[in-house]
Each structure stands twice: as C-alpha cells, then as structure tokens.
Amino acid sequence: MIETVTVDTASGAYPVLIGSGLLENLGVHLPIEAGRGVLITDENVAQHYRDTVLAALEASGWKILCVCTVAAGEGSKSFATVEKLCNEILENAIDRGTVVFALGGGVVGDLAGFAAAILLRGVPFVQIPTTLLAQVDSSVGGKTGINAPSGKNLIGAFYQPKAVIIDTDTLKTLPEREIRAGYAEIAKYGLIYDVAFWDWLQENVQKLLSGDSAALRRAVARSCAIKAEIVAKDEKETDDIRALLNFGHTFGHALERAAEYDDRLRHGEAVAVGMVMAANLSESLALCPQGTAEDIADHLRSAGLPVKPPFSIAPQEMMDYMRYDKKSRAGVLRFVLLWEIGRAFVGDGVSEDSLTGVLRKCL
Ligand code: GLY
C-alpha cells in the first residue's frame, strides 16, 4: 500500500509517496518523465541502496550521468562540498532538464537540494530520504542549505523538490538510536498540531519503534501531511505558521551547539529535550495546563529519548547560544509555545526571569 500526500505551495505542487519497497520500482513511482539525471548520496547509504536505485532508474529509461558520493555526516554541509559537487556535475554537460536525485538522510537532502537550486540557476530535484528524521521532516517543504561557521543551516534556499519518494524499508538498516531520534520529530507534529495523532502515538509508539511497517507508514504519512498543510500556508516562514515546526528547536539548537554537534546529542534527541523545556516554559507562563510538560516527558522517555541534556550546561551559556535563533526579531527571542497538546503558537515577551527559572529546572 502506498500513501500519497500532496505538498501544494506557491512554487509548485508535488507528491510525497510513502510505502514499502518503493526503491525497487523508483522510476515507476516518479511523477516525471525519464530523462537524464545525477545521483547524490553518501558513503553509508551508497553501500545499501546505490545499486538498487541506479538499476531501478535505468530500468525505467533514465540515463544517470554521474553518481556523487559525499562523506557521511554534518561536515559535508559546507561550501567546499557544494563547490566540488557542482563542478563534478557540470563536467557532465547537464542542462536545465537534468534531475538531481538526493538519496540519503538530512545532510544529503539539504546539500543536494541546495546544489540543485544553484546549478544553472535551478534544476529539478527529487528527494529519496532514507532516515526517519529526513522522511518526516527535512525532505518535505523545500528547505535546502549548508552550515556556516556562525551556525547550522545559515546559508541556503527555499527550493521545492519535484517529488519525495519515501521507502519505509530503508528504516530497517537504520540504527535504533536514529529511529528514536527521528521519532522526536513525529511526536512534535502531535504536540503542535494534532492531539488525536498524539493520542495514537501514545498507543502505538512501541510498535512503531520496533519497525512495524503499517504503524511506520501511518506515522510518516500523518507527519508529512501535517508538514504539507503547514508549508502550504507559509512556504517561506513569513507568517509565524511554518515556525511552529520549530517547537523545541530554540532550546534544542542551543544544546546541539553547546555539544559542538558531536555524538553526545543527535538532532532529534536535542529536539526531545527542547520540547520538554518549551512545554515547561508554556506551563510556567500559565499558558497550558499544569502537568503537560511531565506528560510529554513521560512519553518521550517511553520512546527512549532523553528529556534532559546528557552534559552539564549553565543557564547563561544556553541563553548565549539561543540568541542565534533564526526566529529572533531585533535581538528579541521568540518561542514556540503550547496552549495545550495539539495547539501551539509563536510568542515573544518571555522575560529573562521566566526563562532562567525554566532553564534552572530543566538543565
Ligand atoms: N524543519 C523545519 C521546517 O522545515 O520548516
């Protein structure tokens, strides 16, 4: 069974297909005619899926001009890698119809999408995400980019793909820690947008984490559908609607930065800790019912996620890192806060005292 979600933005509409075994028949599922393409992937993903994807595309009449394999990890989201990739691709005399296929997790998707956005001022691209985090978040909605010395994702473009093909079978080769980290973003959708989905997750979290295909397909499809609805309303994050997707991220990004993006904290784990902090902040401002933060923490714990940082960090250090948040306006921090589970908003005017109190409690 294949679920289809449509992302309908001002820059164009495209399908997100979610199902099992989609890679083997990739060409059949693509909503674009076969032509010339290039494949971008990383060393780890290449070992598992490169040959399957190439064979499937070629069987449907695609001519793949080159396969560019980058090093796995956040370090590849750099100008140096973009320069190398673009030069390698341009050596193959591509034209504006040549399709960039991004096969991998969030790093490959962000990087390949950015290269597609700037090559010949824009060539089509297709996302084929292979991690849970990329399947439910980064491959959908057109955020592409690389990191800068000043912070993550500070250079990039909004550039929508022509299709997102999600084969949930790729999760079978994903380490358990990555599945749990991806789960944090799934839980986020329930928290900000859909209490019924949150309730369903309470019932089904263990099934989902143990790799049950039907549960995974349903969770990925609902996450993508919520993201599609939000992106359709606010593609370029100008109206405080898309910013809701950043629930827990102001705290989470600060923690990732404090950990220097090392292995102590995966992005999804930082988001889990950040969501508990954001819920505590909402509670301390009497915005949401008392006990909400503890309910959220209980659920995330049951999914094997951290709800406190795994290292010590002082409130003041957190505040310093949070100042880099992209939601800030004129130096004033803004937070995604909860009215209740399933209903979020972007708020400012949080006093330094309230923030410090919550940081003292949660760090
Ligand atoms: N990951 C947040 C967004 O796509 O807006």
Side-chain angles (χ1 to χ4, degrees):
M1 184 187 166
I2 301 176
E3 301 247 15
T4 305
V5 168
T6 302
V7 186
D8 199 350
T9 69
S11 320
Y14 57 93
V16 180
L17 266 55
I18 304 123
S20 146
L22 301 196
L23 290 192
E24 281 84 357
N25 294 302
L26 184 59
V28 176
H29 299 303
L30 290 173
I32 37 181
E33 255 180 52
R36 302 194 317 155
V38 299
L39 178 66
I40 302 178
T41 188
D42 75 27
E43 288 157 342
N44 295 343
V45 176
Q47 281 177 31
H48 293 292
Y49 305 116
R50 173 190 187 273
D51 293 349
T52 308
V53 164
L54 284 179
L57 288 173
E58 280 161 12
S60 298
W62 284 88
K63 181 172 167 46
I64 300 302
L65 305 174
C66 65
V67 178
C68 306
T69 307
V70 300
E74 203 64 33
S76 284
K77 278 176 63 174
S78 66
F79 265 129
T81 313
V82 170
E83 183 180 4
K84 190 165 172 288
L85 264 182
C86 288
N87 285 332
E88 208 174 320
I89 291 170
L90 289 169
E91 275 164 19
N92 290 279
I94 61 162
D95 59 41
R96 285 215 170 116
T98 306
V99 176
V100 169
F101 291 95
L103 172 68
V107 168
V108 168
D110 286 6
L111 178 66
F114 185 49
I118 58 176
L119 277 163
L120 308 183
R121 297 201 180 91
V123 296
F125 91 109
V126 171
Q127 290 271 23
I128 313 166
T130 57
T131 63
L132 187 55
L133 199 116
Q135 293 183 351
V136 298
D137 185 19
S138 58
S139 67
V140 177
K143 277 192 182 172
T144 73
I146 55 173
N147 301 328
S150 304
K152 263 179 100 169
N153 299 329
L154 295 184
I155 299 158
F158 285 100
Y159 192 65
Q160 301 293 344
K162 293 291 175 207
V164 182
I165 309 290
I166 299 178
D167 186 339
T168 51
D169 287 351
T170 59
L171 303 176
K172 290 179 183 156
T173 53
L174 202 63
E176 199 183 306
R177 185 175 177 194
E178 297 296 333
I179 298 275
R180 293 184 194 282
Y183 180 78
E185 296 280 4
I186 294 179
K188 177 193 78 182
Y189 291 109
L191 292 172
I192 61 167
Y193 207 77
D194 184 352
V195 68
F197 183 47
W198 173 257
D199 290 342
W200 182 84
L201 290 172
Q202 311 287 302
E203 298 290 318
N204 291 281
V205 58
Q206 299 310 333
K207 241 187 185 174
L208 213 148
L209 294 174
S210 65
D212 180 277
S213 310
L216 273 169
R217 189 178 58 242
R218 182 161 171 190
V220 173
R222 184 63 195 138
S223 301
C224 291
I226 292 173
K227 181 147 189 189
E229 267 182 61
I230 290 176
V231 169
K233 288 181 191 153
D234 182 18
E235 182 185 3
K236 300 201 172 157
E237 211 166 306
T238 43
D239 294 329
D240 276 354
I241 303 171
R242 187 166 183 163
L244 299 180
L245 296 167
N246 264 302
F247 180 58
H249 285 58
T250 306
F251 296 106
H253 283 148
L255 289 168
E256 282 183 276
R257 204 178 151 145
E260 295 176 344
Y261 307 102
D262 71 16
D263 208 35
R264 283 175 289 171
L265 210 52
R266 316 292 301 144
H267 174 68
E269 294 167 346
V271 167
V273 178
M275 290 194 298
V276 174
M277 290 180 173
N280 268 292
L281 183 59
S282 310
E283 219 175 282
S284 77
L285 298 169
L287 297 168
C288 69
Q290 295 300 309
T292 305
E294 200 41 47
D295 288 348
I296 295 171
D298 280 348
H299 178 68
L300 296 175
R301 258 187 234 109
S302 78
L305 284 161
V307 295
K308 289 213 173 225
F311 48 83
S312 72
I313 170 167
Q316 189 53 52
E317 198 186 343
M318 274 295 280
M319 305 262 241
D320 291 346
Y321 291 136
M322 285 195 291
R323 293 192 206 292
Y324 290 87
D325 191 75
K326 288 202 275 307
K327 286 185 298 308
S328 300
R329 298 246 173 94
V332 177
L333 274 175
R334 301 162 80 240
F335 291 90
V336 183
L337 299 165
L338 289 182
W339 292 122
E340 62 187 341
I341 288 183
R343 223 155 50 91
F345 71 103
V346 180
D348 48 22
V350 174
S351 73
E352 198 146 323
D353 280 356
S354 307
L355 193 54
T356 312
V358 166
L359 290 172
R360 283 215 182 94
K361 176 178 173 194
C362 296
L363 289 175

